[in-house]
Structures are given as structure tokens and as C-alpha cells.
Amino acid sequence: LVDPPLHEFVPHDEAGQKALAKAVGVPYETVRRRVEQLHEANPMLGHRGCRLTITYPEILDMQVTAIIKAACDMAKKGVKVLPEIMIPLVIDAKELRILEVRTRQVADKIIKDAGVKLPYLVGTMIEVPRAALLADQVAGVAEFFSFGTNDLTQMTLGMSRDDAGRFLPDYVDEKKAGIFKTDPFQSLDQEGVGMLVKTAIERGRSTSPNLKVGVCGEHGGDLASVKFFHRAGMNYVSASPFRVPIARLAAAQVVIEDAAAKAKPAVKKAVPAKKTAAPKKTVAKKAVPAKAVPAKAVPAKPAVKAAVKKPAPKAKK
């Protein structure tokens, strides 16, 4: 569903605003004031994504209606379609539940009225660190995850992908700082952002073992990133059209590499034979002088009295 902030959908020049006012049948001043109200100092962290549909549920209704009606039309023509409705920028399971319930209310009514069978999924995009850390709760509502690694990188590093170009080259240049090996907006920061990705997948599947997981963004077409995503347990990657061939090549390579690693016999390390221990020589221990312990005073025993002999009897004459 719609991810950008509302100010990106309105004209900012006078001619455009007058044309919009004429098209919707309102005074030019009304449009001008509304455009000013939509201005945000930091729109990428502002009123966009699912926050828009929490505030204006009709925006969600409009998009779900368009998606499901188109899918029903195709189903009637015998075309197999499997729509997946992804709700962006979630930060909490309760937030997602509110929008998931409304999505199904709109979709199920359209499917029932069309008289067709149309399976569909409702999932979310993991692009905020909080959602990654609470993925076990979010997975209790979402039927699939798609990692928005562009925004996840931006929010994890605290760097604007639109403005970081002014200083990021110094972070990559080994002669200056060499903090990153490559631009983290082109090739995933596997140590930092990658840790959040792994954590979210593990926690999400602890709640929903068959959770479908993928990635959406420029990282989905980067060679090293695709290999990381495969080993992290993702089911798919998506990328802009010109990067799809790179993504396919990377996906093929990593499968071959992993299969080769499993098939390779383990090389046993040579263990040196144990040497028979030579008989130990008897070493005479040095005599250790006993410590002089002061003798205890023993009271003298009384002398034994000598036996007094009785005088022998006189011999008789």
C-alpha cells in the first residue's frame, strides 16, 4: 500500500495547485493552505505508510478495493492471480491488526459480491527496527514479511539515504575512515542491519514456522546481499527491473556454493602418534630439615621410691 508521505502527491507550484483546485472543485486558497499543512520537517520519519491509513482509513479502502476488484476481474477471465497486500512501516502488532481487519472487511465483501474464489494474503513490510525486534508478535498477525531494507538501513544507521552522499564516501574510503567496506545503501550492512534481519526472521518463525519471508529494495539486486538473504532463510528477493538479472545470478550461485560445501568431504587432520612415555627417573628428594618445634614443658613425675629390704632373720645356733 501507499508508503510515501502525502505531500509527495500534491503540487507545490501555484499553477499546479490552481489546476488541482479546478479539478476537485474547491477554491485555490483551500488547496494552497492544505499543501502547507502537509509539509513536514522530516517526512521519511513522519506521517506516511500505515500511519496514513490509521488516520485516513479511506486511503486503505481505496487501495484494497482497486487491488481486489482487479484480481476478481482476472479470476473471472480464468487468469490465476494471488494478490498479496502488504502494509508498510508498521511498528506494532496492534497497529497491524487494526489495518488487517479492515483490509479483510473490504476485500471479503468485494469477493463475495463478485462470486469468485480468490485467495489472498495480508502481510507487512519490516522496515522499522522496533518491528524487527518484536517480529514474533507481528508474525501473529502477518501472513508474510517483506524487509524494506532501504528504510531499515536508514533508521538503523541514523543516516538519510537522500543526504548521506555528502559524507558517506569518507566512511567507505579506507584512506580516510574505512568504516564500511561498501556503501550500506547499495550492499547490506550485514553486521548491523543484517543482525536485525536475522533476528526478525528467527523470531517471526518462532511464532509462525511457515512464514513467507523476502526482501524489497535495492539490496535485493546486490550480489553479496542476495547471498546473505538466502543464508538467513528468506524465500525470495525483489528488485528494480534492471537488477533482476543480477539477483537471479546471485541466487543461482549461492545455491550451487552451498550444495558444493555440503558435498565436499571433510578433510581429516593428521594426528601425530602418541609417543610412549619414557620411564621416569627416580629423583632423590632433598631432605627437608624439620622445623624446630619448641618442646612442651612436661611436669616431672615423682621419683619411684626404692624398695626397703627387710633385715634377714638371724640364723639359729
Side-chain angles (χ1 to χ4, degrees):
L1 303 185
V2 169
D3 196 17
L6 282 179
H7 80 272
E8 292 191 14
F9 296 93
V10 293
H12 295 271
D13 60 294
E14 185 177 337
Q17 290 173 4
K18 285 182 176 178
L20 178 60
K22 185 178 180 181
V24 296
V26 297
Y28 159 69
E29 281 299 316
T30 301
V31 172
R32 187 186 65 77
R33 283 196 302 271
R34 188 69 182 119
V35 170
E36 289 179 357
Q37 290 171 354
L38 293 175
H39 173 75
E40 294 180 77
N42 196 344
M44 286 299 101
L45 298 179
H47 197 188
R48 68 181 184 102
C50 62
R51 298 162 194 176
L52 278 178
T53 50
I54 288 285
T55 308
Y56 303 112
E58 60 271 22
I59 295 178
L60 179 139
D61 296 351
M62 171 188 67
Q63 294 174 88
V64 172
T65 298
I67 293 166
I68 299 299
K69 276 193 172 182
C72 287
D73 289 346
M74 291 298 101
K76 287 179 181 178
K77 294 177 182 178
V79 179
K80 188 177 180 180
V81 286
L82 299 168
E84 297 182 1
I85 298 173
M86 182 165 63
I87 297 170
L89 213 71
V90 298
I91 59 173
D92 192 85
K94 185 177 180 181
E95 174 189 43
L96 180 60
R97 174 66 74 187
I98 293 168
L99 300 175
E100 183 259 352
V101 168
R102 188 162 185 118
T103 295
R104 294 196 183 279
Q105 287 174 346
V106 174
D108 292 348
K109 184 177 185 305
I110 295 169
I111 293 169
K112 184 179 179 181
D113 292 345
V116 298
K117 287 185 178 180
L118 183 72
Y120 67 94
L121 300 179
V122 179
T124 188
M125 185 175 277
I126 304 292
E127 49 193 329
V128 180
R130 189 178 193 274
L133 295 171
L134 300 179
D136 52 338
Q137 298 175 26
V138 177
V141 182
E143 292 181 293
F144 66 89
F145 282 175
S146 183
F147 284 84
T149 52
N150 294 341
D151 271 331
L152 187 59
T153 297
Q154 180 171 245
M155 294 186 192
T156 304
L157 300 183
M159 292 182 182
S160 166
R161 57 180 169 165
D162 298 319
D163 304 319
R166 299 176 184 178
F167 59 86
L168 200 52
D170 294 339
Y171 274 63
V172 178
D173 189 344
E174 290 186 3
K175 294 180 180 179
K176 288 196 173 182
I179 295 166
F180 295 118
K181 292 180 180 178
T182 56
D183 183 340
F185 291 105
Q186 296 297 322
S187 188
L188 188 77
D189 163 34
Q190 296 183 18
E191 291 181 352
V193 181
M195 186 183 293
L196 279 176
V197 171
K198 284 182 177 179
T199 299
I201 293 173
E202 290 169 4
R203 292 191 176 186
R205 286 187 174 146
S206 69
T207 299
S208 179
N210 297 320
L211 185 70
K212 183 179 178 182
V213 179
V215 64
C216 175
E218 290 307 298
H219 295 109
D222 172 67
L223 189 71
S225 301
V226 171
K227 292 183 178 183
F228 172 84
F229 296 141
H230 169 77
R231 289 172 177 140
M234 288 195 183
N235 303 105
Y236 70 92
V237 299
S238 65
S240 53
F242 73 95
R243 302 194 82 176
V244 168
I246 301 171
R248 286 182 170 173
L249 178 64
Q253 284 181 349
V254 71
V255 170
I256 293 169
E257 288 170 6
D258 286 0
K262 287 180 182 179
K264 191 175 181 181
V267 180
K268 292 183 179 179
K269 291 183 179 180
V271 180
K274 290 183 179 179
K275 294 181 180 179
T276 307
K280 293 181 179 179
K281 291 181 180 179
T282 305
V283 180
K285 292 183 179 179
K286 290 182 180 180
V288 180
K291 290 182 180 179
V293 179
K296 290 183 180 179
V298 179
K301 290 183 179 180
V304 179
K305 292 182 179 179
V308 179
K309 289 183 180 181
K310 290 181 180 181
K314 293 181 179 180
K316 290 180 179 182
K317 291 184 181 179

